């Protein structure tokens, strides 16, 4: 069964995210537990949390993902930022536990001069500081790889998994992978990229896909999302990706823009049109 949905708001209470997802005709999704631009702990009302769990179960919407704050930097060599990042991640994990959410998604962050190897070790040791609740899994998201940001290369993801004691899994962002140099614009490119991911990381540990087209060329390291099929990955690439046997059972979460009179509902419908046999 195709699982596709969008990043949704928790305005007015986290339980409202389920109704919003259903408005998009989605059946899985992602939320921020608070504004991603500030250091802030989730403030989730217990009654709203119970309603979120019940509504998700009743409507068969899931899995859900919490996306961590944009300020989190697991790779940082700076002690104060490291501690804030660990504390923020712990709060997200605890919120996921209260909400019955399976995944907390995070970018590795930037090494800011410490070097790639040290940055990856910093991320692994930061993950080791976390107390991950039963039933919750940390997802490391692939990155576009600009500047000193890590996670743009698949071997970065594999290295962190090798160095951490946590049982982590992964989220592949199609726009990020494309920006990082993995060409998803053709069926052959999709085959090659997923084969490389399987060889380096392992498709068995791919728990989620952020399905986004790209406004910029492959390998530019520029992260700007486009409507599905309307960017430089294009319809041929997106068609090949959503129908690829390797990801047919992986939830697809949209982070596409709201512009040109189109939003998440349009993109969810587009994915369903592209998908064969669902």
């Amino acid at each position: 069964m195709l699982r596709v949905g969008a990043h949704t708001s928790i305005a007015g209470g986290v339980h409202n995210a389920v109704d919003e997802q259903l408005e998009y005709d989605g059946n899985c999704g992602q939320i921020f537990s608070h504004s991603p631009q500030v250091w802030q702990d989730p403030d989730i009302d217990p009654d709203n949390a119970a309603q979120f769990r019940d509504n998700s179960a009743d409507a068969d919407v899931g899995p859900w993902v919490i996306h961590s704050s944009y300020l989190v930097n697991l790779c940082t060599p700076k002690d104060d930022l490291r501690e804030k990042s660990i504390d923020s991640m712990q709060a997200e994990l605890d919120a996921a536990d209260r909400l019955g959410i399976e995944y907390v998604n995070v970018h590795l962050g930037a090494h800011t001069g410490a070097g790639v190897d040290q940055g990856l070790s910093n991320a692994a040791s930061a993950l080791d500081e976390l107390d991950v609740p039963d039933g919750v899994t940390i997802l490391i998201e692939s990155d576009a790889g600009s500047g000193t940001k890590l996670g743009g290369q698949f071997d970065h993801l594999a290295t962190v998994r090798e160095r951490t004691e946590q049982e982590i899994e992964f989220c592949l962002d199609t726009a990020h992978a494309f920006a990082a140099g993995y060409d998803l614009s053709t069926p052959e490119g999709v085959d090659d990229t997923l084969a490389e991911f399987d060889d380096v990381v392992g498709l068995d540990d791919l728990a989620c896909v952020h399905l986004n087209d790209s406004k910029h060329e492959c390998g530019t390291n520029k992260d700007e999302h486009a409507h599905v099929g309307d960017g430089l990955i294009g319809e041929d690439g997106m068609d090949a990706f959503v129908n690829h046997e390797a990801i047919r059972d992986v939830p697809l979460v949209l982070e596409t823009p709201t512009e040109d009179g189109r939003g998440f509902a349009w993109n969810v419908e587009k994915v369903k049109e592209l998908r064969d046999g669902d």
Side-chain angles (χ1 to χ4, degrees), residues 132-155:
V132 182
D134 291 341
V136 180
T137 300
I138 297 170
L139 304 184
I140 305 299
E141 180 178 344
S142 66
D143 201 271
S146 61
T148 66
K149 290 182 179 179
L150 301 181
Q153 301 304 309
F154 293 159
D155 65 287

Side-chain angles (χ1 to χ4, degrees), residues 1 4 58 93 144 149 157 163-164 213:
M1 178 182 179
V4 59
D58 291 345
L93 292 166
K149 290 182 179 179
L157 309 180
R163 295 181 183 179
T164 183
D213 212 322

